[in-house]
Amino acid sequence: MKKSKLVTIGGIMLVLGLCGYFFLGASGKEKIGWETVKVMRGSMSNMVSATGTVEPVTKVDVGTQVSGIIDRIYVDYNSVVKKGQLIAEMDKVTLQAELESQEAVLANAKAEYDYQQKNYARKKVLFEKKLISDSDYETAKSSYEKSRADIVKVQRNLGYAVITSPIDGVVISREVEEGQTVAAGFETPTLFTIAKDLTEMQVVADVDEADIGQVEEGQRVTFSVDAYPNDVF
């Protein structure tokens, strides 16, 4: 028993010696050291990231109410425009027949309007004197209102051949070229996009549903753009 105990103790010492050799190094040059530091209180931060676009706060899409060929374009990208400024014209040759037809309709509507106005005035006096029925009076009044509406509609359609800027701003998008045909159907085609003020921009981003609960008003926000990857705004 004593011999086996000596063998066991000798084995343990051998293992400890080998461990000390590998950890401390056979030559004694490599040593294990410990460093202690004082526990300090710090702050932790969590970041929510999303991808989006930088867009003007106010921008307007400019379209056309009539179909035809774009004859002239007077503005380009980054053009500064004023409200009411002429920025494009439809082809007058292709629209001439329509314009003449609208002018004829306008003349007819004006004649009908004058007639119905006088007829309405006469029947109104007769109605007040109870000399005509309610039905005759309502018919005359309806014709009068319809003729007046027709004139307003035709006058508005006559102005659709020219396209003007609805606001003061800068052209940031041009979707058409001279000679291009546009079709105004159920949806008005976009010809230009005009930004009101490029010094007022906003970041439009979709934040993930799992992260939106961590976003609160007043938190710090930074963003970067592809054009300046090394700059943080």
PDB file of all heavy atoms in Angstrom, residues 41-69:
ATOM      1  N   ARG A  41     -18.732  52.801 -13.475  1.00  0.00           N
ATOM      2  CA  ARG A  41     -20.071  52.845 -14.039  1.00  0.00           C
ATOM      3  C   ARG A  41     -20.033  53.581 -15.389  1.00  0.00           C
ATOM      4  O   ARG A  41     -19.466  54.657 -15.503  1.00  0.00           O
ATOM      5  CB  ARG A  41     -21.024  53.572 -13.091  1.00  0.00           C
ATOM      6  CG  ARG A  41     -22.482  53.564 -13.556  1.00  0.00           C
ATOM      7  CD  ARG A  41     -23.361  54.344 -12.591  1.00  0.00           C
ATOM      8  NE  ARG A  41     -23.343  53.754 -11.287  1.00  0.00           N
ATOM      9  CZ  ARG A  41     -24.168  52.767 -10.881  1.00  0.00           C
ATOM     10  NH1 ARG A  41     -25.061  52.285 -11.742  1.00  0.00           N
ATOM     11  NH2 ARG A  41     -24.102  52.276  -9.674  1.00  0.00           N
ATOM     12  N   GLY A  42     -20.619  52.990 -16.414  1.00  0.00           N
ATOM     13  CA  GLY A  42     -20.642  53.588 -17.735  1.00  0.00           C
ATOM     14  C   GLY A  42     -22.044  53.557 -18.326  1.00  0.00           C
ATOM     15  O   GLY A  42     -23.016  53.195 -17.646  1.00  0.00           O
ATOM     16  N   SER A  43     -22.154  53.944 -19.568  1.00  0.00           N
ATOM     17  CA  SER A  43     -23.461  53.966 -20.241  1.00  0.00           C
ATOM     18  C   SER A  43     -23.447  52.998 -21.411  1.00  0.00           C
ATOM     19  O   SER A  43     -22.416  52.785 -22.055  1.00  0.00           O
ATOM     20  CB  SER A  43     -23.799  55.374 -20.735  1.00  0.00           C
ATOM     21  OG  SER A  43     -22.826  55.818 -21.656  1.00  0.00           O
ATOM     22  N   MET A  44     -24.623  52.437 -21.699  1.00  0.00           N
ATOM     23  CA  MET A  44     -24.788  51.543 -22.829  1.00  0.00           C
ATOM     24  C   MET A  44     -25.782  52.173 -23.798  1.00  0.00           C
ATOM     25  O   MET A  44     -26.694  52.897 -23.392  1.00  0.00           O
ATOM     26  CB  MET A  44     -25.310  50.169 -22.360  1.00  0.00           C
ATOM     27  CG  MET A  44     -24.366  49.440 -21.431  1.00  0.00           C
ATOM     28  SD  MET A  44     -25.040  47.837 -20.916  1.00  0.00           S
ATOM     29  CE  MET A  44     -25.100  47.013 -22.494  1.00  0.00           C
ATOM     30  N   SER A  45     -25.590  51.918 -25.074  1.00  0.00           N
ATOM     31  CA  SER A  45     -26.484  52.478 -26.078  1.00  0.00           C
ATOM     32  C   SER A  45     -26.974  51.368 -27.012  1.00  0.00           C
ATOM     33  O   SER A  45     -26.266  50.390 -27.256  1.00  0.00           O
ATOM     34  CB  SER A  45     -25.782  53.570 -26.901  1.00  0.00           C
ATOM     35  OG  SER A  45     -24.670  53.019 -27.594  1.00  0.00           O
ATOM     36  N   ASN A  46     -28.177  51.572 -27.519  1.00  0.00           N
ATOM     37  CA  ASN A  46     -28.768  50.642 -28.477  1.00  0.00           C
ATOM     38  C   ASN A  46     -29.112  51.413 -29.736  1.00  0.00           C
ATOM     39  O   ASN A  46     -29.613  52.540 -29.654  1.00  0.00           O
ATOM     40  CB  ASN A  46     -30.018  49.979 -27.892  1.00  0.00           C
ATOM     41  CG  ASN A  46     -30.511  48.840 -28.757  1.00  0.00           C
ATOM     42  OD1 ASN A  46     -29.783  48.339 -29.602  1.00  0.00           O
ATOM     43  ND2 ASN A  46     -31.751  48.428 -28.546  1.00  0.00           N
ATOM     44  N   MET A  47     -28.858  50.843 -30.883  1.00  0.00           N
ATOM     45  CA  MET A  47     -29.044  51.561 -32.136  1.00  0.00           C
ATOM     46  C   MET A  47     -30.068  50.834 -33.004  1.00  0.00           C
ATOM     47  O   MET A  47     -30.046  49.609 -33.122  1.00  0.00           O
ATOM     48  CB  MET A  47     -27.721  51.675 -32.886  1.00  0.00           C
ATOM     49  CG  MET A  47     -27.807  52.429 -34.213  1.00  0.00           C
ATOM     50  SD  MET A  47     -26.201  52.636 -34.989  1.00  0.00           S
ATOM     51  CE  MET A  47     -25.803  50.930 -35.387  1.00  0.00           C
ATOM     52  N   VAL A  48     -30.969  51.602 -33.584  1.00  0.00           N
ATOM     53  CA  VAL A  48     -31.940  51.099 -34.544  1.00  0.00           C
ATOM     54  C   VAL A  48     -31.549  51.627 -35.913  1.00  0.00           C
ATOM     55  O   VAL A  48     -31.390  52.836 -36.094  1.00  0.00           O
ATOM     56  CB  VAL A  48     -33.374  51.550 -34.190  1.00  0.00           C
ATOM     57  CG1 VAL A  48     -34.347  51.156 -35.293  1.00  0.00           C
ATOM     58  CG2 VAL A  48     -33.799  50.937 -32.862  1.00  0.00           C
ATOM     59  N   SER A  49     -31.385  50.750 -36.876  1.00  0.00           N
ATOM     60  CA  SER A  49     -30.965  51.174 -38.212  1.00  0.00           C
ATOM     61  C   SER A  49     -32.053  50.854 -39.228  1.00  0.00           C
ATOM     62  O   SER A  49     -32.809  49.891 -39.069  1.00  0.00           O
ATOM     63  CB  SER A  49     -29.653  50.483 -38.614  1.00  0.00           C
ATOM     64  OG  SER A  49     -29.832  49.078 -38.664  1.00  0.00           O
ATOM     65  N   ALA A  50     -32.144  51.681 -40.252  1.00  0.00           N
ATOM     66  CA  ALA A  50     -33.123  51.496 -41.321  1.00  0.00           C
ATOM     67  C   ALA A  50     -32.566  52.112 -42.595  1.00  0.00           C
ATOM     68  O   ALA A  50     -31.700  52.983 -42.554  1.00  0.00           O
ATOM     69  CB  ALA A  50     -34.462  52.121 -40.956  1.00  0.00           C
ATOM     70  N   THR A  51     -33.074  51.662 -43.713  1.00  0.00           N
ATOM     71  CA  THR A  51     -32.659  52.166 -45.019  1.00  0.00           C
ATOM     72  C   THR A  51     -33.801  52.956 -45.636  1.00  0.00           C
ATOM     73  O   THR A  51     -34.957  52.536 -45.578  1.00  0.00           O
ATOM     74  CB  THR A  51     -32.274  51.011 -45.954  1.00  0.00           C
ATOM     75  OG1 THR A  51     -31.222  50.254 -45.363  1.00  0.00           O
ATOM     76  CG2 THR A  51     -31.812  51.535 -47.300  1.00  0.00           C
ATOM     77  N   GLY A  52     -33.487  54.114 -46.221  1.00  0.00           N
ATOM     78  CA  GLY A  52     -34.521  54.937 -46.831  1.00  0.00           C
ATOM     79  C   GLY A  52     -33.931  55.883 -47.860  1.00  0.00           C
ATOM     80  O   GLY A  52     -32.846  55.649 -48.387  1.00  0.00           O
ATOM     81  N   THR A  53     -34.644  56.956 -48.108  1.00  0.00           N
ATOM     82  CA  THR A  53     -34.218  57.951 -49.095  1.00  0.00           C
ATOM     83  C   THR A  53     -34.308  59.347 -48.498  1.00  0.00           C
ATOM     84  O   THR A  53     -35.125  59.600 -47.607  1.00  0.00           O
ATOM     85  CB  THR A  53     -35.101  57.892 -50.356  1.00  0.00           C
ATOM     86  OG1 THR A  53     -36.479  58.075 -49.982  1.00  0.00           O
ATOM     87  CG2 THR A  53     -34.954  56.545 -51.052  1.00  0.00           C
ATOM     88  N   VAL A  54     -33.475  60.236 -49.005  1.00  0.00           N
ATOM     89  CA  VAL A  54     -33.524  61.648 -48.619  1.00  0.00           C
ATOM     90  C   VAL A  54     -34.370  62.381 -49.659  1.00  0.00           C
ATOM     91  O   VAL A  54     -34.047  62.371 -50.848  1.00  0.00           O
ATOM     92  CB  VAL A  54     -32.110  62.253 -48.544  1.00  0.00           C
ATOM     93  CG1 VAL A  54     -32.179  63.708 -48.128  1.00  0.00           C
ATOM     94  CG2 VAL A  54     -31.248  61.459 -47.559  1.00  0.00           C
ATOM     95  N   GLU A  55     -35.454  63.003 -49.211  1.00  0.00           N
ATOM     96  CA  GLU A  55     -36.398  63.641 -50.119  1.00  0.00           C
ATOM     97  C   GLU A  55     -36.742  65.042 -49.637  1.00  0.00           C
ATOM     98  O   GLU A  55     -36.623  65.341 -48.446  1.00  0.00           O
ATOM     99  CB  GLU A  55     -37.690  62.808 -50.218  1.00  0.00           C
ATOM    100  CG  GLU A  55     -37.481  61.399 -50.730  1.00  0.00           C
ATOM    101  CD  GLU A  55     -38.783  60.619 -50.792  1.00  0.00           C
ATOM    102  OE1 GLU A  55     -39.835  61.211 -50.424  1.00  0.00           O
ATOM    103  OE2 GLU A  55     -38.762  59.454 -51.200  1.00  0.00           O
ATOM    104  N   PRO A  56     -37.199  65.897 -50.556  1.00  0.00           N
ATOM    105  CA  PRO A  56     -37.660  67.228 -50.136  1.00  0.00           C
ATOM    106  C   PRO A  56     -38.912  67.102 -49.263  1.00  0.00           C
ATOM    107  O   PRO A  56     -39.715  66.176 -49.436  1.00  0.00           O
ATOM    108  CB  PRO A  56     -37.986  67.926 -51.460  1.00  0.00           C
ATOM    109  CG  PRO A  56     -37.286  67.123 -52.510  1.00  0.00           C
ATOM    110  CD  PRO A  56     -37.217  65.729 -52.015  1.00  0.00           C
ATOM    111  N   VAL A  57     -39.070  68.042 -48.354  1.00  0.00           N
ATOM    112  CA  VAL A  57     -40.257  68.039 -47.492  1.00  0.00           C
ATOM    113  C   VAL A  57     -41.508  68.270 -48.327  1.00  0.00           C
ATOM    114  O   VAL A  57     -42.541  67.632 -48.137  1.00  0.00           O
ATOM    115  CB  VAL A  57     -40.127  69.106 -46.395  1.00  0.00           C
ATOM    116  CG1 VAL A  57     -41.409  69.204 -45.584  1.00  0.00           C
ATOM    117  CG2 VAL A  57     -38.945  68.783 -45.482  1.00  0.00           C
ATOM    118  N   THR A  58     -41.416  69.190 -49.300  1.00  0.00           N
ATOM    119  CA  THR A  58     -42.551  69.489 -50.169  1.00  0.00           C
ATOM    120  C   THR A  58     -42.129  69.334 -51.621  1.00  0.00           C
ATOM    121  O   THR A  58     -41.172  69.959 -52.065  1.00  0.00           O
ATOM    122  CB  THR A  58     -43.058  70.936 -49.944  1.00  0.00           C
ATOM    123  OG1 THR A  58     -43.409  71.098 -48.565  1.00  0.00           O
ATOM    124  CG2 THR A  58     -44.271  71.213 -50.807  1.00  0.00           C
ATOM    125  N   LYS A  59     -42.832  68.470 -52.339  1.00  0.00           N
ATOM    126  CA  LYS A  59     -42.580  68.309 -53.777  1.00  0.00           C
ATOM    127  C   LYS A  59     -43.911  68.074 -54.479  1.00  0.00           C
ATOM    128  O   LYS A  59     -44.855  67.539 -53.903  1.00  0.00           O
ATOM    129  CB  LYS A  59     -41.610  67.163 -54.048  1.00  0.00           C
ATOM    130  CG  LYS A  59     -42.108  65.795 -53.640  1.00  0.00           C
ATOM    131  CD  LYS A  59     -41.089  64.723 -54.004  1.00  0.00           C
ATOM    132  CE  LYS A  59     -41.601  63.324 -53.629  1.00  0.00           C
ATOM    133  NZ  LYS A  59     -40.629  62.275 -53.987  1.00  0.00           N
ATOM    134  N   VAL A  60     -43.968  68.504 -55.748  1.00  0.00           N
ATOM    135  CA  VAL A  60     -45.208  68.435 -56.514  1.00  0.00           C
ATOM    136  C   VAL A  60     -44.921  67.752 -57.854  1.00  0.00           C
ATOM    137  O   VAL A  60     -43.955  68.095 -58.540  1.00  0.00           O
ATOM    138  CB  VAL A  60     -45.789  69.843 -56.755  1.00  0.00           C
ATOM    139  CG1 VAL A  60     -47.053  69.752 -57.601  1.00  0.00           C
ATOM    140  CG2 VAL A  60     -46.090  70.532 -55.432  1.00  0.00           C
ATOM    141  N   ASP A  61     -45.772  66.783 -58.202  1.00  0.00           N
ATOM    142  CA  ASP A  61     -45.695  66.149 -59.515  1.00  0.00           C
ATOM    143  C   ASP A  61     -46.551  66.940 -60.499  1.00  0.00           C
ATOM    144  O   ASP A  61     -47.727  67.199 -60.233  1.00  0.00           O
ATOM    145  CB  ASP A  61     -46.191  64.701 -59.447  1.00  0.00           C
ATOM    146  CG  ASP A  61     -45.277  63.816 -58.618  1.00  0.00           C
ATOM    147  OD1 ASP A  61     -44.068  64.097 -58.580  1.00  0.00           O
ATOM    148  OD2 ASP A  61     -45.780  62.849 -58.009  1.00  0.00           O
ATOM    149  N   VAL A  62     -45.967  67.324 -61.634  1.00  0.00           N
ATOM    150  CA  VAL A  62     -46.665  68.111 -62.648  1.00  0.00           C
ATOM    151  C   VAL A  62     -47.028  67.194 -63.805  1.00  0.00           C
ATOM    152  O   VAL A  62     -46.165  66.511 -64.368  1.00  0.00           O
ATOM    153  CB  VAL A  62     -45.784  69.274 -63.148  1.00  0.00           C
ATOM    154  CG1 VAL A  62     -46.554  70.107 -64.174  1.00  0.00           C
ATOM    155  CG2 VAL A  62     -45.339  70.140 -61.981  1.00  0.00           C
ATOM    156  N   GLY A  63     -48.316  67.176 -64.181  1.00  0.00           N
ATOM    157  CA  GLY A  63     -48.777  66.323 -65.263  1.00  0.00           C
ATOM    158  C   GLY A  63     -49.544  67.107 -66.306  1.00  0.00           C
ATOM    159  O   GLY A  63     -49.474  68.342 -66.367  1.00  0.00           O
ATOM    160  N   THR A  64     -50.273  66.388 -67.147  1.00  0.00           N
ATOM    161  CA  THR A  64     -51.073  67.020 -68.189  1.00  0.00           C
ATOM    162  C   THR A  64     -52.445  66.363 -68.232  1.00  0.00           C
ATOM    163  O   THR A  64     -52.581  65.156 -67.973  1.00  0.00           O
ATOM    164  CB  THR A  64     -50.398  66.891 -69.567  1.00  0.00           C
ATOM    165  OG1 THR A  64     -51.264  67.433 -70.561  1.00  0.00           O
ATOM    166  CG2 THR A  64     -50.101  65.448 -69.901  1.00  0.00           C
ATOM    167  N   GLN A  65     -53.468  67.168 -68.578  1.00  0.00           N
ATOM    168  CA  GLN A  65     -54.837  66.685 -68.644  1.00  0.00           C
ATOM    169  C   GLN A  65     -55.234  66.233 -70.053  1.00  0.00           C
ATOM    170  O   GLN A  65     -56.302  65.659 -70.237  1.00  0.00           O
ATOM    171  CB  GLN A  65     -55.797  67.790 -68.179  1.00  0.00           C
ATOM    172  CG  GLN A  65     -55.621  68.189 -66.717  1.00  0.00           C
ATOM    173  CD  GLN A  65     -56.089  67.117 -65.755  1.00  0.00           C
ATOM    174  OE1 GLN A  65     -56.914  66.289 -66.101  1.00  0.00           O
ATOM    175  NE2 GLN A  65     -55.549  67.107 -64.562  1.00  0.00           N
ATOM    176  N   VAL A  66     -54.393  66.506 -71.040  1.00  0.00           N
ATOM    177  CA  VAL A  66     -54.725  66.154 -72.419  1.00  0.00           C
ATOM    178  C   VAL A  66     -53.644  65.250 -72.992  1.00  0.00           C
ATOM    179  O   VAL A  66     -52.489  65.298 -72.577  1.00  0.00           O
ATOM    180  CB  VAL A  66     -54.880  67.411 -73.308  1.00  0.00           C
ATOM    181  CG1 VAL A  66     -56.064  68.236 -72.862  1.00  0.00           C
ATOM    182  CG2 VAL A  66     -53.596  68.238 -73.287  1.00  0.00           C
ATOM    183  N   SER A  67     -54.041  64.422 -73.943  1.00  0.00           N
ATOM    184  CA  SER A  67     -53.092  63.551 -74.636  1.00  0.00           C
ATOM    185  C   SER A  67     -52.521  64.272 -75.856  1.00  0.00           C
ATOM    186  O   SER A  67     -53.189  65.089 -76.478  1.00  0.00           O
ATOM    187  CB  SER A  67     -53.793  62.257 -75.080  1.00  0.00           C
ATOM    188  OG  SER A  67     -54.324  61.565 -73.980  1.00  0.00           O
ATOM    189  N   GLY A  68     -51.276  63.943 -76.186  1.00  0.00           N
ATOM    190  CA  GLY A  68     -50.660  64.564 -77.349  1.00  0.00           C
ATOM    191  C   GLY A  68     -49.153  64.420 -77.321  1.00  0.00           C
ATOM    192  O   GLY A  68     -48.596  63.637 -76.558  1.00  0.00           O
ATOM    193  N   ILE A  69     -48.493  65.202 -78.165  1.00  0.00           N
ATOM    194  CA  ILE A  69     -47.034  65.167 -78.295  1.00  0.00           C
ATOM    195  C   ILE A  69     -46.441  66.385 -77.590  1.00  0.00           C
ATOM    196  O   ILE A  69     -46.930  67.499 -77.730  1.00  0.00           O
ATOM    197  CB  ILE A  69     -46.618  65.161 -79.775  1.00  0.00           C
ATOM    198  CG1 ILE A  69     -47.174  63.908 -80.466  1.00  0.00           C
ATOM    199  CG2 ILE A  69     -45.101  65.210 -79.923  1.00  0.00           C
ATOM    200  CD1 ILE A  69     -46.916  63.885 -81.961  1.00  0.00           C
TER     201      ILE A  69
END
